Amino acid sequence: MAAQAPLVVQEKLMLPSIGVAQEFISFKNTSMESEKYICIRETGAQNQVVIVDMAAPMSPARRQITADSALMCLDKKVIALKATTAGTPGDALQVFNLDTKTKLKAYQMPESVEFWKWISPTQLGLVTATSVYHWDIEAAGDAPVKVFDRTPNLAGAQIISYRTSPDAKWCVLIGITQGAPERPQLARGLMQLFSVEQNKSQPLEAHAAAFSTVKFAGRDAPSTVISFAQKALKDGQVVSKLHVIELGSVPGGAVKRNAELFFPAEFADDFPVSLQISERFGLVYVVTKLGLLFVYDLETATAVYRNRISPDPIFLATVSDSTGGILAINRRGQVLLATVNEPAMVPFVSQQLSNLNLALALAKRGNLPGAEGLIVQQFEQLFASGQHKDAAETAAESPQGILRTREVVERLKSVAPTPGQKPAILVYLGVLLQKGRLNAFESAELARLVLAQNKRELLTNWWNDNKLEASEELGDMVSAAGDKDMALKIYQLCGASGKVIVALAEKGDMSALQAYTGQTGGQLNYLQLLQQLMMNNPSGAVSLAKMVAKQTPPPVDVNTMADLFLQRNMVREATGFLLDALAADRPEDGPLQSKLLEINLVTNPQVADAILANGTLTHYDRPRIAQLCEKAGLYMRALQHYTDLKDLKRSIVNTHAIDPQALTEFFGTLSADWALECLKELLLTNVTGNLQLVVNIAKEYTEQLGSNKIIELLESHNSYPGLYLYLGSRIAFSEDPEEHYKYIEAAARTGQLKEVERATRESNFYPPERVKAFLMEAKLPDARPLINVCDRHDLVEDLTSYLFNNNLLKYIEGYVQKVSPTKTPQVVGALLDCEAPDEFINNLILSVRSLLPVDTLVEQVEKRNRLKLLTPFLEHLIREGSTDPHVHDALGKIIIDTNNNPEHFLTTNPYYDSLVVGHYAEKRDPNLACVAYKRGNCDDALIECTNKNSLFKLQARYIVDRGDAVLWDKVLDDSNSFRRQLIDQVVSTALPESKNPEQVSVTVKAFMKHGLQAELIELLEKIVLNNSAFSSNANLQNLLILTAIKADPSRVKDYIYRLDNFDGPAVAEKAIEFGQYEEAFEIYKKFGKKVEAVQVLLQHLQDLDRAHDYANKVDEAPVWSELGHAYLAASQVQDAIAAYLRSNDSSRYLEVIEGCTAVGCYEDLVKYLLMVRKKIKEPKVDSELLYAYARINNLSEIDAFLHSSHQANLQSVGDRCFDEGMYEAARMLFAHIPNWGRLASTLVRLHRFQEAVDAARKANSTKTWKEVCFACVEEGVFKLAQLCGLNIIVNADDLDEVSEFYQKRGHFDQLMSLMESGLVGDSCERARLSSMCVHVPSHYTSVHMATTPG
């Protein structure tokens, strides 16, 4: 079975699951300063900060905050915010307490803060482009304090981390930059380590770092260490290491450890992004960007575990102090917790890693299971070897406390102490005191040792520090030492009840005794103690009785104890005791509860009332107590206890002795029927005196009793005042129409006319018809309530009829003049229906005049065919200067009806509504309607009218005159069934009549937009070709030809010949676009665009012959250039050169050279380059001309060229000639340069050996001498070869090569001659040549022997 992993990884949270968008899960927007909080900035239309409390992660807090960065404090709800203010340099910093909602600190930094971080619960580290600051939010000043300047290695780096050591003496700053050019994906990590005490910095390479404290072996005190992880490219190799280094000056030298960080091949460009240290387990966690987690032992830098914890990149991590692990966030929004698998860690290290020492250290350090056998074995070895001090420490530090047993303690006690050293048992106990708390037998053993030395104060201190565990044995020792209070505490904690009671009795603390007896159930002679206390300490007796009664079962009967109090007439004490004893309100205590109440109802009713008010007793004899309450005058208590309706009615009428509020609350306990009966009884007994009380109760319990039944109750007693009072409290909140009606009725019947008027004016819920009928029937002296109802609910006609029929004309006038002038039309209509006199109506209208709505008035009168009635009123308004369209509309209708020159009104009046009057006139005369519609630009109405009456000519003229593109879209739409008729009228009549260019333009655009190509051509021909005002219009000519190009190509050439004012080039381009190349050619010819014309022939018609003829015809350089380009593209290089020569065009000389080289026409190239050379001074041109001369073997021109001014690259041309076998040309070039070595090689190829030797002498190069020498040997010119060889053999390194060349070809004699000639040199060379001369004959002999037959 596979071993369990030593680390457990679990998902604590998915940020998207709590509403965090993926785009905000990044290093820029997300921060996690500690395991307590995660902070996310969400930006966009609404900026906010999401604060995730990891104690309740599914309930994040969202706050409307706009900031560039937000950091939550390490351990409390304090947030730090950073933002940039427009126009202000630097960053604004603020710190807020979210719980108290107060600002703790603020400061405007003069420079931008690139990175910041909480380095402690009260301090922030700020990193700018040049320096690092610390900002203490509890310090007196507001400004941050500068700590150090950044080192140059961090210039331009992205800062990703900043930390300080626990003692604040060291700081480390981490940044990253782009990797080396050969590995750009491997980010380079940079680190600056700063010593606060020495004020010095050290630049290093690292991606992540952290401080911690470690107690190394041999050290008396813990040391500050820095751990950092690096992955760097050094000398082409990637170096990945973890370093653990002890900081500060340490005697004997600082501890320095390192270990390899092994990255798999697929993680070659991965690098660390965070390093966290678990103080609990002493482990280093290194997290990489691609999700790898490395675990190392901090003290030894030993690798423990490596695994990939996230498939997505990780950008944040922090230590989890509560678990000893780490929290990390990846790009997908997973919040991962990686913790030590406590049952598996030690077995994994000991078995899988085979590292027993590390397993033992981890077990001790983290109190981990799995090392029990190792610990016991170590203890036994140490104990057996006499290392008792170490054995004691081992036992005290044993994980899971496996060695903290009595047996081990006894063994340590049995060890005789070594002189000058502490006893082993004291070492053992001392280590435990430093680590934590002693158990019971360890505490007793320590007390025995300390008290024996008379150091009781040490024991007291340890007890107060919670270092000792209570036991009866420990308490006995402390009590014997004289500390009774401490002994009592120990007895209580260890549960020694008997000894606690004895101690409490000795102190005389009855309350403590009572409390303790209740807790432990100890036994005492309570009866005797109780009787004694009754005589000496009554309050103590009550306390004791209470304590006894609370025991289960009570050692003394409660009734007995109560009787003891009553026998001594201690009613107050008995009451206090019984109240406490009966607090549980048990059914079996009913008689005692009754006794308690009876004695107080007889002796002190107020006490009984208070007891009943408390409500803690519920099992007494309620009927008996009810009667006693009634006799004692406690009628309210009696009501609360009676259960018979008759008893209730008898008691309830005593309202003079009952608190009204209490009585009101009592009604809430009754059923609805009984409550109504009681209210009825109150009304029957004293309707006047009890009416207000009844109404108050009814108000309070309307929901339970029902408003309908309450109303019925009051109505049954004809109590309209009661109804008025009751409903008056509900009317403001009730929406019941019946209640509102009853209220109005009650107010009217009680003479509350002002309230009737207010209710009818303000209420929105009464039934208007019923109220109207009631008020008409009631005929109140004031008609305003009726006016309110009818005005609000649009019952104006009924109101008018009622007032007119009852001769209340002044109210009609008052209504229209003061209340609602806008409803005058309805009043007039009703008066007309009532056949009121015209004079009264006209006077009424004139009294209101401009305040009434004329349109509604006209509508009302028009419905009744009395429109002429308004003529005086309308004329009066117009004389007053009214411009109200409704006034003029009405007058226009009257004029149309009377046929009083309506055309004049319709064309000259500027105020009427064209749509309204036109619609009115349409039924009478469509032409008049069109006049009105045209005046008001009522497009839809005019089109509908003309379509309906077939007035298409009128419609066409109107649409052309309007010149509105939207209107054209509407009438030319395919859905318009009258489109054809309209188009015919536009083409034949409306547009030819027009003299307005804008109208023509809009019309043409409309035809184009709707694809009416044929109609457009017909239209344009009429305008352009028929000598109209627009015949010479360039735009229309363009449009005619372009439309023909698209719709009727056969007409295009005719238009080209007939029209002269169109945009030729633009039209030609459009013709090309539609494939009409001949037409385009004709246009270009007509407009003199010769280059464009020949381009059409070349590019579109692709007719080179026709293009050549056209070029000959026009004979212009640009045309010949275009033709030359075409010939060159067709690989007709000679023709192209001829064209270029005609155009004197040198622009494409590189392409011409390339083409000539490909086909070998160098004679033409010479002509072309001679022309180009006159215009362009380029080495390329001169070089190619010289090469062309060589290719045609024109050596005389080469010689003339060489002696003229030029920029040719002679060496390059010479090399080309040499490589291609043109040796004569090459000779001339190399000789002119001069290049003696290449000249010698060329002369060798020409077999001009004497000249080659002369050139080699000038070159004086061993390579050249060899080449000429070997060539002469091959040709048998040994004399010249010897001259060359003498210049070679002077170099000992080349002698063997020459000798071998001669010998391979059998020229031994010539070689000997060469060697002998060389003997005239210096002595050293002569010696070497002599040896060669000796060697050659022997070699010669051996060769000949080998070739001799036989």
Side-chain angles (χ1 to χ4, degrees):
M1 183 176 180
Q4 284 187 316
L7 249 68
V8 177
V9 181
Q10 56 181 310
E11 180 183 292
K12 298 296 290 182
L13 176 65
M14 276 292 289
L15 293 178
S17 69
I18 59 172
V20 177
Q22 192 69 43
E23 61 188 298
F24 304 121
I25 304 174
S26 64
F27 185 79
K28 180 180 178 182
N29 290 71
T30 306
S31 62
M32 180 172 61
E33 298 296 287
S34 69
E35 66 176 338
K36 291 182 68 67
Y37 301 103
I38 298 175
C39 189
I40 307 103
R41 290 187 309 108
E42 295 184 340
T43 58
Q46 187 175 12
N47 296 326
Q48 60 182 352
V49 172
V50 182
I51 301 171
V52 182
D53 188 342
M54 293 304 291
M58 301 311 293
S59 302
R62 295 180 180 271
R63 298 180 181 269
Q64 302 299 321
I65 296 174
T66 299
D68 298 331
S69 179
L71 305 177
M72 286 299 293
C73 185
L74 303 178
D75 60 354
K76 48 186 168 290
K77 271 199 173 182
V78 171
I79 190 169
L81 302 174
K82 174 171 72 73
T84 302
T85 305
T88 304
D91 288 327
L93 309 178
Q94 294 180 326
V95 181
F96 293 90
N97 188 312
L98 297 178
D99 284 330
T100 60
K101 298 180 180 178
T102 56
K103 183 190 292 187
L104 302 181
K105 206 158 209 179
Y107 183 71
Q108 177 67 41
M109 280 288 288
E111 52 186 328
S112 296
V113 177
E114 293 184 356
F115 180 84
W116 65 334
K117 186 174 182 63
W118 286 98
I119 55 177
S120 76
T122 61
Q123 248 187 355
L124 282 156
L126 313 177
V127 183
T128 68
T130 59
S131 306
V132 176
Y133 299 80
H134 285 180
W135 194 30
D136 194 333
I137 63 174
E138 293 182 353
D142 290 335
V145 177
K146 182 177 176 181
V147 182
F148 60 91
D149 290 323
R150 288 169 57 171
T151 51
N153 71 319
L154 284 168
Q158 178 190 357
I159 304 303
I160 61 172
S161 178
Y162 175 67
R163 291 187 171 187
T164 59
S165 61
D167 57 5
K169 295 181 179 179
W170 296 87
C171 310
V172 64
L173 184 63
I174 300 290
I176 58 173
T177 61
Q178 187 175 6
E182 58 270 31
R183 291 285 291 276
Q185 297 301 319
L186 178 56
R188 184 185 177 198
L190 303 169
M191 173 176 127
Q192 178 182 358
L193 179 63
F194 178 76
S195 170
V196 177
E197 292 181 334
Q198 300 177 20
N199 194 28
K200 291 183 180 179
S201 291
Q202 180 180 1
L204 298 166
E205 286 196 4
H207 290 82
F211 295 101
S212 59
T213 55
V214 178
K215 189 175 184 305
F216 291 105
R219 297 275 195 268
D220 294 330
S223 303
T224 300
V225 300
I226 184 170
S227 306
F228 58 92
Q230 62 176 186
K231 186 176 183 181
L233 193 64
K234 295 183 179 179
D235 300 326
Q237 300 295 320
V238 176
V239 178
S240 305
K241 285 193 176 184
L242 169 72
H243 296 269
V244 179
I245 300 175
E246 188 178 16
L247 298 174
S249 300
V250 182
V255 174
K256 296 183 180 179
R257 311 195 196 283
N258 64 75
E260 291 289 333
L261 288 169
F262 177 73
F263 285 83
E266 60 269 28
F267 295 85
D269 290 329
D270 193 12
F271 58 88
V273 294
S274 180
L275 186 149
Q276 306 294 334
I277 296 177
S278 169
E279 298 290 350
R280 175 181 172 188
F281 298 110
L283 295 175
V284 180
Y285 300 98
V286 180
V287 183
T288 72
K289 178 183 178 182
L290 297 184
L292 287 179
L293 174 62
F294 297 84
V295 184
Y296 288 79
D297 177 64
L298 175 62
E299 186 175 350
T300 62
T302 302
V304 176
Y305 186 63
R306 185 199 72 197
N307 195 11
R308 190 175 190 183
I309 63 172
S310 169
D312 299 288
I314 291 176
F315 64 94
L316 277 182
T318 189
V319 69
S320 173
D321 291 324
S322 61
T323 63
I326 61 166
L327 282 171
I329 304 177
N330 62 24
R331 291 287 186 190
R332 192 152 53 93
Q334 278 184 305
V335 181
L336 302 172
L337 173 63
T339 57
V340 170
N341 186 354
E342 297 191 11
M345 174 59 83
V346 172
F348 179 88
V349 174
S350 62
Q351 297 171 15
Q352 300 297 318
L353 304 184
S354 301
N355 194 334
L356 297 181
N357 291 332
L358 179 58
L360 193 60
L362 286 171
K364 289 181 179 180
R365 192 186 305 144
N367 196 27
L368 298 175
E372 292 81 3
L374 295 174
I375 292 294
V376 172
Q377 181 180 357
Q378 184 182 32
F379 173 78
E380 294 296 340
Q381 289 175 351
L382 292 171
F383 196 90
S385 63
Q387 299 177 10
H388 300 119
K389 178 178 178 295
D390 295 338
E393 292 178 350
T394 300
E397 295 174 353
S398 61
Q400 311 292 310
I402 58 172
L403 291 176
R404 292 177 62 180
T405 63
R406 288 187 180 274
E407 178 185 359
V408 171
V409 170
E410 293 300 327
R411 292 179 65 182
L412 294 174
K413 285 170 59 180
S414 65
V415 174
T418 303
Q421 293 185 0
K422 288 184 180 179
I425 186 61
L426 285 181
V427 172
Y428 170 80
L429 295 174
V431 172
L432 290 177
L433 284 172
Q434 291 178 357
K435 287 188 60 178
R437 191 166 181 261
L438 277 62
N439 57 31
F441 63 83
E442 292 167 344
S443 300
E445 189 59 42
L446 178 62
R448 185 175 292 107
L449 294 172
V450 170
L451 293 175
Q453 299 176 17
N454 198 24
K455 296 180 179 179
R456 193 176 69 184
E457 63 279 1
L458 289 177
L459 200 64
T460 303
N461 293 336
W462 289 330
W463 174 260
N464 293 333
D465 293 340
N466 198 28
K467 294 287 187 179
L468 307 177
E469 183 177 333
S471 65
E472 192 170 343
E473 182 182 8
L474 178 62
D476 292 343
M477 285 189 283
V478 172
S479 179
D483 194 339
K484 301 294 183 181
D485 291 336
M486 182 175 172
L488 177 60
K489 294 177 183 177
I490 295 172
Y491 288 142
Q492 288 175 331
L493 285 176
C494 70
S497 57
K499 293 187 178 180
V500 172
I501 292 172
V502 171
L504 290 174
E506 290 178 355
K507 290 182 64 176
D509 192 343
M510 299 304 296
S511 61
L513 178 62
Q514 174 190 2
Y516 185 76
T517 304
Q519 293 173 0
T520 63
Q523 296 296 322
L524 290 173
N525 189 350
Y526 291 108
L527 188 59
Q528 180 181 355
L529 182 58
L530 182 62
Q531 290 174 341
Q532 182 179 355
L533 290 175
M534 282 182 183
M535 292 183 292
N536 302 322
N537 188 0
S539 61
V542 173
S543 299
L544 181 59
K546 290 179 180 179
M547 184 188 70
V548 172
K550 289 178 180 177
Q551 298 185 35
T552 306
V556 180
D557 183 60
V558 175
N559 199 20
T560 301
M561 290 188 286
D563 288 340
L564 286 175
F565 282 113
L566 293 175
Q567 288 170 6
R568 291 167 175 76
N569 200 25
M570 299 171 68
V571 176
R572 184 168 61 85
E573 288 77 5
T575 300
F577 159 64
L578 287 175
L579 283 173
D580 187 78
L582 301 175
D585 194 25
R586 295 185 295 270
E588 58 268 23
D589 293 334
L592 274 175
Q593 292 181 5
S594 299
K595 178 186 288 189
L596 172 63
L597 293 172
E598 285 179 9
I599 59 175
N600 281 286
L601 282 170
V602 173
T603 60
N604 195 347
Q606 289 76 15
V607 174
D609 185 50
I611 294 172
L612 291 170
N614 195 32
T616 57
L617 307 179
T618 60
H619 298 288
Y620 52 84
D621 187 349
R622 298 182 70 84
R624 171 66 178 160
I625 298 303
Q627 293 174 359
L628 292 173
C629 287
E630 189 176 358
K631 289 180 181 180
L634 300 177
Y635 296 109
M636 192 64 248
R637 298 299 176 198
L639 287 172
Q640 292 170 348
H641 288 76
Y642 278 132
T643 57
D644 186 75
L645 182 59
K646 182 173 64 176
D647 295 332
L648 293 175
K649 287 182 176 181
R650 183 181 70 249
S651 297
I652 206 167
V653 296
N654 297 291
T655 54
H656 63 282
I658 302 175
D659 177 40
Q661 182 61 34
L663 185 58
T664 301
E665 293 176 359
F666 168 71
F667 268 86
T669 64
L670 300 177
S671 66
D673 292 339
W674 280 27
L676 289 170
E677 286 294 328
C678 290
L679 291 175
K680 183 178 180 181
E681 186 69 23
L682 290 173
L683 290 175
L684 288 173
T685 304
N686 185 0
V687 66
T688 303
N690 293 335
L691 180 61
Q692 187 63 52
L693 178 61
V694 170
V695 170
N696 291 342
I697 294 171
K699 291 178 185 178
E700 184 71 23
Y701 301 108
T702 295
E703 187 175 347
Q704 294 89 334
L705 303 179
S707 60
N708 293 335
K709 291 188 177 180
I710 294 172
I711 293 171
E712 289 176 6
L713 174 66
L714 295 172
E715 285 182 333
S716 65
H717 290 79
N718 293 321
S719 181
Y720 285 104
L723 274 173
Y724 176 72
L725 292 173
Y726 169 67
L727 294 174
S729 65
R730 289 182 50 76
I731 204 70
F733 312 104
S734 173
E735 297 182 4
D736 185 356
E738 185 65 24
E739 292 186 3
H740 284 259
Y741 173 75
K742 292 290 185 183
Y743 179 70
I744 293 171
E745 180 185 14
R749 294 190 186 279
T750 55
Q752 303 292 334
L753 297 184
K754 290 184 179 180
E755 189 61 22
V756 176
E757 192 276 332
R758 185 198 65 79
T760 55
R761 176 166 37 85
E762 297 179 358
S763 174
N764 296 319
F765 303 105
Y766 59 79
E769 289 290 344
R770 286 183 63 195
V771 174
K772 180 196 74 173
F774 167 73
L775 293 175
M776 287 182 176
E777 181 183 350
K779 293 188 177 181
L780 300 177
D782 189 352
R784 286 182 299 168
L786 179 62
I787 291 174
N788 290 341
V789 174
C790 296
D791 178 60
R792 294 183 62 201
H793 298 281
D794 203 21
L795 301 172
V796 178
E797 290 83 358
D798 295 342
L799 170 66
T800 305
S801 299
Y802 172 80
L803 295 176
F804 183 78
N805 292 329
N806 287 276
N807 202 26
L808 299 173
L809 300 183
K810 66 174 184 177
Y811 281 104
I812 296 176
E813 295 173 349
Y815 174 67
V816 299
Q817 293 171 4
K818 298 178 181 180
V819 178
S820 186
T822 59
K823 294 187 178 177
T824 302
Q826 291 93 315
V827 174
V828 171
L831 289 173
L832 289 173
D833 293 338
C834 293
E835 299 182 355
D838 290 354
E839 182 182 1
F840 177 74
I841 295 175
N842 275 319
N843 291 335
L844 192 67
I845 293 173
L846 290 173
S847 68
V848 182
R849 288 189 296 187
S850 60
L851 296 179
L852 60 81
V854 177
D855 56 338
T856 311
L857 177 64
V858 172
E859 181 186 354
Q860 290 289 337
V861 177
E862 187 179 347
K863 282 194 304 185
R864 293 166 175 83
N865 295 320
R866 299 288 303 277
L867 195 58
K868 291 177 66 176
L869 176 69
L870 300 178
T871 302
F873 167 66
L874 296 173
E875 292 176 345
H876 176 77
L877 291 179
I878 291 174
R879 284 196 299 272
E880 289 184 344
S882 173
T883 59
D884 185 357
H886 302 298
V887 173
H888 293 267
D889 291 347
L891 187 60
K893 292 178 181 179
I894 294 172
I895 291 173
I896 290 172
D897 281 341
T898 59
N899 198 22
N900 185 13
N901 195 7
E903 292 88 350
H904 175 74
F905 176 84
L906 294 175
T907 55
T908 60
N909 188 295
Y911 304 116
Y912 71 89
D913 187 328
S914 298
L915 194 61
V916 173
V917 176
H919 182 70
Y920 185 82
E922 191 173 333
K923 301 175 184 177
R924 293 156 178 79
D925 187 346
N927 287 297
L928 288 177
C930 288
V931 172
Y933 291 148
K934 181 178 180 181
R935 173 261 188 191
N937 291 336
C938 304
D939 300 336
D940 293 340
L942 188 143
I943 291 171
E944 183 181 356
C945 179
T946 52
N947 286 342
K948 188 189 303 180
N949 296 283
S950 299
L951 302 174
F952 298 110
K953 184 178 291 185
L954 191 152
Q955 183 184 132
R957 286 171 176 162
Y958 172 75
I959 294 172
V960 169
D961 287 343
R962 282 278 284 128
D964 183 77
V966 177
L967 180 58
W968 274 112
D969 290 341
K970 187 178 298 182
V971 298
L972 293 181
D973 190 83
D974 293 338
S975 61
N976 182 11
S977 58
F978 302 99
R979 184 174 77 160
R980 184 69 260 169
Q981 295 91 320
L982 173 64
I983 292 173
D984 292 342
Q985 291 299 326
V986 170
V987 173
S988 63
T989 305
L991 199 61
E993 291 176 354
S994 175
K995 304 299 181 183
N996 188 334
E998 183 63 27
Q999 293 176 357
V1000 175
S1001 175
V1002 173
T1003 305
V1004 169
K1005 288 179 181 177
F1007 274 55
M1008 292 173 59
K1009 181 177 181 181
H1010 290 273
L1012 302 172
Q1013 305 291 348
E1015 292 83 352
L1016 181 59
I1017 291 174
E1018 181 183 355
L1019 178 65
L1020 292 173
E1021 282 184 343
K1022 282 198 173 187
I1023 299 174
V1024 176
L1025 300 180
N1026 292 342
N1027 295 323
S1028 70
F1030 303 103
S1031 296
S1032 60
N1033 186 286
N1035 290 332
L1036 294 179
Q1037 290 190 12
N1038 289 337
L1039 183 59
L1040 178 58
I1041 298 176
L1042 292 174
T1043 306
I1045 287 173
K1046 296 177 183 176
D1048 194 354
S1050 61
R1051 300 190 185 190
V1052 175
K1053 280 193 177 181
D1054 180 53
Y1055 293 155
I1056 293 171
Y1057 298 144
R1058 294 179 63 182
L1059 301 177
D1060 298 315
N1061 200 27
F1062 61 93
D1063 186 349
V1067 174
E1069 288 179 8
K1070 188 59 71 171
I1072 291 172
E1073 181 182 338
F1074 282 86
Q1076 299 177 29
Y1077 306 123
E1078 290 292 349
E1079 288 79 356
F1081 178 68
E1082 292 297 331
I1083 293 171
Y1084 284 134
K1085 280 174 58 180
K1086 182 171 184 175
F1087 283 85
K1089 301 291 183 179
K1090 301 179 180 65
V1091 174
E1092 289 81 357
V1094 79
Q1095 285 176 344
V1096 172
L1097 294 175
L1098 292 171
Q1099 297 175 9
H1100 301 291
L1101 294 174
Q1102 297 180 353
D1103 191 339
L1104 287 171
D1105 295 336
R1106 189 174 169 188
H1108 187 271
D1109 294 341
Y1110 180 73
N1112 274 324
K1113 181 179 179 180
V1114 300
D1115 196 21
E1116 290 186 2
V1119 176
W1120 283 114
S1121 291
E1122 290 295 328
L1123 183 61
H1125 299 336
Y1127 277 136
L1128 189 60
S1131 298
Q1132 298 180 24
V1133 182
Q1134 291 174 314
D1135 293 334
I1137 291 175
Y1140 284 141
L1141 291 174
R1142 293 285 296 270
S1143 65
N1144 199 26
D1145 185 357
S1146 61
S1147 60
R1148 299 195 178 184
Y1149 69 89
L1150 294 176
E1151 298 175 37
V1152 173
I1153 292 170
E1154 183 180 353
C1156 287
T1157 303
V1159 300
C1161 55
Y1162 290 100
E1163 291 182 356
D1164 294 309
L1165 181 59
V1166 168
K1167 298 175 185 178
Y1168 176 74
L1169 291 177
L1170 288 172
M1171 180 271 291
V1172 172
R1173 194 164 182 260
K1174 295 176 182 178
K1175 302 175 70 175
I1176 299 175
K1177 302 300 181 182
E1178 284 286 338
K1180 177 71 174 178
V1181 175
D1182 287 1
S1183 299
E1184 291 297 332
L1185 177 59
L1186 190 59
Y1187 176 73
Y1189 280 144
R1191 289 301 300 260
I1192 63 177
N1193 200 28
N1194 193 339
L1195 301 180
S1196 61
E1197 287 296 333
I1198 292 176
D1199 185 63
F1201 183 90
L1202 291 174
H1203 290 88
S1204 65
S1205 176
H1206 65 84
Q1207 296 183 17
N1209 188 338
L1210 299 182
Q1211 181 66 45
S1212 174
V1213 177
D1215 289 341
R1216 289 173 67 187
C1217 292
F1218 182 88
D1219 293 339
E1220 294 179 19
M1222 296 181 289
Y1223 298 120
E1224 280 296 338
R1227 179 190 62 76
M1228 296 175 69
L1229 294 172
F1230 291 139
H1232 187 78
I1233 293 174
N1235 186 335
W1236 304 114
R1238 292 292 279 169
L1239 177 60
S1241 300
T1242 306
L1243 291 169
V1244 166
R1245 300 302 191 278
L1246 293 172
H1247 298 277
R1248 295 161 69 170
F1249 297 108
Q1250 181 60 53
E1251 294 178 43
V1253 171
D1254 294 338
R1257 184 177 293 109
K1258 293 177 181 179
N1260 195 23
S1261 165
T1262 302
K1263 177 181 178 183
T1264 304
W1265 283 119
K1266 286 181 183 179
E1267 183 180 1
V1268 176
C1269 177
F1270 295 161
C1272 290
V1273 170
E1274 294 286 1
E1275 289 293 326
V1277 187
F1278 294 107
K1279 183 178 180 180
L1280 295 177
Q1282 183 173 333
L1283 290 175
C1284 297
L1286 290 174
N1287 289 282
I1288 300 171
I1289 63 177
V1290 295
N1291 296 318
D1293 295 336
D1294 299 320
L1295 181 60
D1296 291 339
E1297 184 180 355
V1298 174
S1299 174
E1300 185 179 355
F1301 187 84
Y1302 271 87
Q1303 291 178 55
K1304 281 185 177 180
R1305 287 157 181 77
H1307 303 310
F1308 299 102
D1309 293 334
Q1310 289 77 9
L1311 176 61
M1312 289 295 297
S1313 176
L1314 173 63
M1315 297 297 181
E1316 291 170 355
S1317 299
L1319 288 174
V1320 299
D1322 58 58
S1323 59
C1324 294
E1325 285 300 316
R1326 283 200 302 272
R1328 175 168 174 77
L1329 289 175
S1330 298
S1331 65
M1332 290 298 296
C1333 289
V1334 173
H1335 175 68
V1336 170
S1338 63
H1339 183 70
Y1340 173 79
T1341 304
S1342 63
V1343 171
H1344 278 269
M1345 289 175 63
T1347 56
T1348 301

